[in-house]
Amino acid sequence: SEKEILNYALSNGIIDITHIQQQIEMNEREKYLKMHENKVWQASDGKWKTHLPDDMACDGRRMIKAKDRKALDDKIIKHYKALENEPYIDMVFNDWNNQRLSYGEIEKQTYDRYQTDFKRFFNDSKIIKTKFRYIDEDMLEDFIKSTIRDKKLTAKAWGNLRILIRGIFKYAKKKGYTQISITEFLGDLDLSNRAFEKRYFADEEQVFTDKEIDMIVDYINNETISILNLGIILAFQVGLRRGELSTLKYSDIKDGLLRIRRTEIKFKDENGHTTH
């Protein structure tokens, strides 16, 4: 096989691994140097000079210089290599979210919720296709306001988006990806209450009425008794959540009192499978 031939060549000195590494490095250097289209020249003082693209400069470029051509090439290569490795907002979000989970600052279910919210708010946006350093305050404001409008966000949903934006940009500034102070930006952001979707629900649409509860209990009483049916009746009696109900133990009952000590959580494991 090709793998066996390669191993044989390496072990018998037919292929010089050092030479291959040098060739790879030369090819890498050539690739980045070809990206540079500006003139390179040697000035009267003997130093080599050129201009690198720079969006922060007035004319969109900045001069660099070095004592010899190789040193100048090294600076050019470093610049374009950095540009190639610049992150997009989804990369920064994942780094931020993964770091918070690894430090125990959030639980796995919160981590999963942030992942879901990011896909909901960002996946079809223009901002996700823009390298992070090109995201300015105008672009960020346009993203926020258009997302609120197009996705018909409620004030609560905007709160979820705000958490992500604040975390992403604080992390990005710490890493040097942006100069935006997200605390100041959000503090100055002018959002009208009229921008948010208003959703009104009648009481009977949100909770069971007394009549409905009586109907459900009567139905259960006429069915075969099961742990599920008894659990539903208990939930009606004491107002337990599903997660609290599913984790009850006999030991939680003491001295005639029912103590709620735990709840069931749901999250995705490393294989993407939902775990309880």
Side-chain angles (χ1 to χ4, degrees):
S1 67
E2 291 184 358
K3 184 177 179 180
E4 290 173 334
I5 293 172
L6 180 59
N7 288 334
Y8 177 84
L10 288 172
S11 61
N12 288 275
I14 298 173
I15 294 179
D16 185 352
I17 193 66
T18 302
H19 175 72
I20 293 176
Q21 290 173 335
Q22 291 173 346
Q23 190 62 49
I24 291 173
E25 290 173 4
M26 288 175 60
N27 291 343
E28 281 283 293
R29 288 179 66 86
E30 190 66 26
K31 180 184 77 170
Y32 291 115
L33 290 173
K34 284 181 178 179
M35 294 180 182
H36 186 63
E37 298 178 350
N38 293 337
K39 177 183 176 183
V40 176
W41 75 95
Q42 187 175 23
S44 57
D45 60 1
K47 292 185 177 179
W48 286 84
K49 300 181 180 181
T50 190
H51 289 97
L52 291 177
D54 189 344
D55 296 328
M56 304 299 292
C58 296
D59 60 352
R61 62 180 191 169
R62 62 183 172 87
M63 180 183 287
I64 61 169
K65 56 186 178 180
K67 61 181 180 179
D68 56 49
R69 181 60 188 266
K70 182 181 181 304
L72 186 72
D73 285 350
D74 288 342
K75 291 183 178 183
I76 293 172
I77 291 167
K78 182 179 179 181
H79 171 80
Y80 288 101
K81 186 178 288 188
L83 287 182
E84 190 177 64
N85 295 327
E86 277 187 322
Y88 291 83
I89 197 167
D90 58 336
M91 303 175 191
V92 179
F93 161 73
N94 284 321
D95 288 346
W96 167 72
N97 204 25
N98 289 334
Q99 184 187 81
R100 296 200 72 197
L101 180 65
S102 67
Y103 287 154
E105 297 174 351
I106 56 175
E107 298 293 338
K108 187 61 169 63
Q109 66 268 29
T110 303
Y111 173 93
D112 290 341
R113 188 177 75 248
Y114 286 169
Q115 293 281 353
T116 300
D117 284 346
F118 185 86
K119 292 177 182 177
R120 174 191 177 190
F121 298 130
F122 289 87
N123 265 14
D124 57 353
S125 67
K126 176 183 176 182
I127 204 170
I128 201 173
K129 301 174 183 177
T130 306
K131 286 194 173 182
F132 208 100
R133 74 185 184 104
Y134 293 118
I135 300 175
D136 58 19
E137 292 189 356
D138 289 339
M139 180 183 292
L140 182 56
E141 182 173 352
D142 177 70
F143 163 73
I144 290 171
K145 291 185 175 181
S146 60
T147 300
I148 292 173
R149 179 197 63 208
D150 297 342
K151 296 185 181 297
K152 302 184 184 304
L153 299 189
T154 62
K156 181 179 179 181
W158 156 237
N160 294 337
L161 173 57
R162 181 188 175 101
I163 289 173
L164 298 187
I165 290 174
R166 186 175 183 275
I168 290 169
F169 277 82
K170 283 180 74 71
Y171 181 86
K173 188 173 184 182
K174 182 179 178 182
K175 291 293 185 179
Y177 302 146
T178 183
Q179 294 301 313
I180 295 176
S181 172
I182 197 62
T183 302
E184 292 182 10
F185 172 85
L186 291 173
D188 294 337
L189 185 63
D190 185 20
L191 291 176
S192 169
N193 288 331
R194 295 181 59 187
F196 301 112
E197 182 81 359
K198 305 294 191 300
R199 295 175 186 169
Y200 301 100
F201 299 96
D203 290 343
E204 58 269 20
E205 293 180 294
Q206 300 186 70
V207 296
F208 289 112
T209 64
D210 291 339
K211 182 179 179 180
E212 289 171 334
I213 292 175
D214 290 340
M215 291 174 61
I216 294 171
V217 171
D218 287 343
Y219 177 81
I220 290 175
N221 287 334
N222 290 322
E223 291 290 305
T224 302
I225 295 299
S226 68
I227 191 69
L228 176 61
N229 290 343
L230 293 175
I232 293 172
I233 293 176
L234 179 61
F236 279 136
Q237 291 294 319
V238 299
L240 289 175
R241 297 185 178 92
R242 288 181 301 171
E244 296 168 339
L245 181 64
S246 64
T247 58
L248 284 178
K249 296 181 178 181
Y250 285 111
S251 58
D252 294 331
I253 303 174
K254 187 176 182 180
D255 300 327
L257 296 175
L258 175 61
R259 292 173 170 79
I260 309 303
R261 294 190 170 101
R262 67 195 72 82
T263 188
E264 183 183 54
I265 60 174
K266 182 171 67 174
F267 60 90
K268 293 183 179 178
D269 60 22
E270 59 273 12
N271 297 316
H273 300 138
T274 300
T275 302
H276 295 264

